[in-house]
Amino acid sequence: MVKLLDEKDAKALPDHIGWRLWQASRAWKAEFAEAMRAAGHGWFSEGRAGLLGHIPRRGTRQAALIERMGISKQAVQQLLDGLEAEGVIERTPDPEDKRGKFVRYTSKGLAALDDGDHIKIDIEKRYRERLGEGSFEALMAALRGLAEPQAS
Amino acid sequence: MVKLLDEKDAKALPDHIGWRLWQASRAWKAEFAEAMRAAGHGWFSEGRAGLLGHIPRRGTRQAALIERMGISKQAVQQLLDGLEAEGVIERTPDPEDKRGKFVRYTSKGLAALDDGDHIKIDIEKRYRERLGEGSFEALMAALRGLAEPQAS
DNA sequence: GCATATCGTCAAGATGCTTGACTACCTTGA
DNA sequence: TCAAGGTAGTCAAGCATCTTGACGATATGC
């Protein structure tokens, strides 16, 4: 089996910032999703994680969710359909705008959020141990710096 | 339009390592893909980028590609089908193994690779300017640290 | 030389997105 | 005030990317 991956190919793996970010993001998501499923939230998927990250505990208007997700409203709607069918969230009419709907967690959804918070803390703790406090904080600071709106 | 994104919602955005990594990775990919398409490589997509990153300039055996991608061989095949139809890569029989095929770039594919390299350098340069050299290097060092195989 | 494994392919299906078209409702302004 | 235009949500159809299963052709090991 040694032959399958020859040495030249192995050395050709990239090392630029985009690749590293993608790898790290991918690894984190996989670790988180696996832990969530292990915690009994079999409905959890990486695709849904992005959406849940935009729904605060007290709920939100569906339109606000759409704006913040940066994807089409139909895509958001389909994700919500799935989560609603799983009993994770529910949609009620928005009393302030009869066109709109309000998205909130069910108790099942809130329980999953709590578990997710604990898992995040666990993963972060492991990252801190692996990198050391200083390097981890430098990483977070740099990532926050990249996320800021560009000045120019 | 101010009303669309209320302040409470804006403050609820997460700030843990996984979210930050995901955001940064997403931003980089979007920036790169947009630049590639602007450079005339309209066939470029983020999904295809992962595959191209695993094909060295001198080409590779399809089986090696499959092993390194970490996805099913059928998925790799379908991606290759698409790239071949676009004229970016070509598949020839592997002279050393009559079961196998060898994947190499066409001249069009090599030109795209060159453009991609320049775009990566440009983006990285912008990142260095935004973060400062020290912070950027700390970011890269931390990301490399996370990518290393775990000791425990 | 035969059993077993690998390489590539075809087919069918799931998921997560897209655009287009539509209804219901809200807001604006002459 | 009421018509025009914008916004919220939905339904439908389609595309890209991935999956699993089944298969023929070729290599490899004993």
Side-chain angles (χ1 to χ4, degrees):
Chain A
M1 295 309 130
V2 182
K3 191 182 158 195
L4 275 177
L5 187 58
D6 71 52
E7 300 73 21
K8 282 184 180 176
D9 277 5
K11 283 180 190 163
L13 282 173
D15 183 40
H16 56 82
I17 178 67
W19 174 267
R20 292 294 185 187
L21 286 170
W22 178 73
Q23 288 244 79
S25 171
R26 197 161 169 257
W28 190 93
K29 284 191 296 182
E31 195 170 350
F32 184 80
E34 192 185 0
M36 281 295 278
R37 284 189 285 262
H41 308 291
W43 52 268
F44 188 85
S45 73
E46 298 181 19
R48 285 166 170 173
L51 181 64
L52 294 174
H54 281 101
I55 308 176
R57 275 193 157 67
R58 60 188 159 67
T60 184
R61 288 176 305 116
Q62 187 166 323
L65 205 47
I66 288 161
E67 192 193 13
R68 281 167 45 177
M69 283 291 289
I71 58 178
S72 71
K73 59 184 178 181
Q74 294 91 334
V76 172
Q77 187 182 13
Q78 289 165 22
L79 284 170
L80 288 173
D81 286 346
L83 289 172
E84 195 169 31
E86 295 285 352
V88 177
I89 56 108
E90 59 187 2
R91 279 181 281 193
T92 55
D94 184 342
E96 294 177 6
D97 186 338
K98 286 180 185 170
R99 294 169 304 176
K101 294 213 172 158
F102 198 82
V103 177
R104 67 178 75 254
Y105 290 102
T106 61
S107 57
K108 178 177 174 181
L110 288 171
L113 272 198
D114 289 341
D115 283 352
D117 284 348
H118 292 139
I119 291 168
K120 279 177 211 160
I121 290 169
D122 284 350
I123 296 177
E124 179 167 323
K125 191 178 152 205
R126 237 170 298 142
Y127 277 26
R128 284 183 188 275
E129 285 166 0
R130 287 183 61 191
L131 293 178
E133 281 297 323
S135 183
F136 183 88
E137 288 301 335
L139 171 62
M140 284 299 285
L143 290 174
R144 289 195 191 102
L146 287 178
E148 277 166 13
Q150 310 214 22
S152 68
Chain B
M1 295 307 129
V2 181
K3 192 182 156 195
L4 275 178
L5 186 58
D6 71 53
E7 300 74 21
K8 282 183 180 178
D9 276 7
K11 282 180 192 166
L13 282 173
D15 184 39
H16 56 81
I17 179 66
W19 174 269
R20 292 295 186 186
L21 285 171
W22 178 73
Q23 288 246 87
S25 171
R26 198 160 168 257
W28 190 91
K29 283 192 294 183
E31 194 170 350
F32 184 79
E34 192 185 2
M36 281 295 278
R37 285 189 283 262
H41 308 292
W43 52 269
F44 188 85
S45 74
E46 297 182 20
R48 285 167 169 172
L51 181 64
L52 294 175
H54 282 99
I55 308 176
R57 276 193 155 68
R58 62 190 157 66
T60 184
R61 288 177 305 115
Q62 187 166 321
L65 204 48
I66 288 161
E67 192 193 12
R68 282 167 45 179
M69 284 291 289
I71 59 177
S72 71
K73 59 184 177 180
Q74 295 90 335
V76 172
Q77 188 182 13
Q78 288 164 22
L79 284 170
L80 288 173
D81 286 347
L83 289 171
E84 195 169 31
E86 295 286 351
V88 176
I89 55 107
E90 60 188 359
R91 279 181 283 193
T92 56
D94 183 341
E96 295 176 7
D97 186 337
K98 286 180 184 171
R99 294 169 305 179
K101 294 214 173 158
F102 198 83
V103 177
R104 68 178 75 254
Y105 291 102
T106 60
S107 56
K108 178 177 173 181
L110 287 171
L113 271 199
D114 289 341
D115 283 352
D117 284 347
H118 292 140
I119 290 168
K120 280 177 210 161
I121 291 170
D122 284 350
I123 296 177
E124 180 167 322
K125 190 179 153 205
R126 237 170 297 142
Y127 278 25
R128 284 183 189 274
E129 285 167 359
R130 286 183 61 192
L131 293 178
E133 281 297 324
S135 183
F136 183 87
E137 288 301 334
L139 171 62
M140 284 299 285
L143 291 174
R144 288 193 191 102
L146 287 177
E148 279 167 12
Q150 310 212 25
S152 68

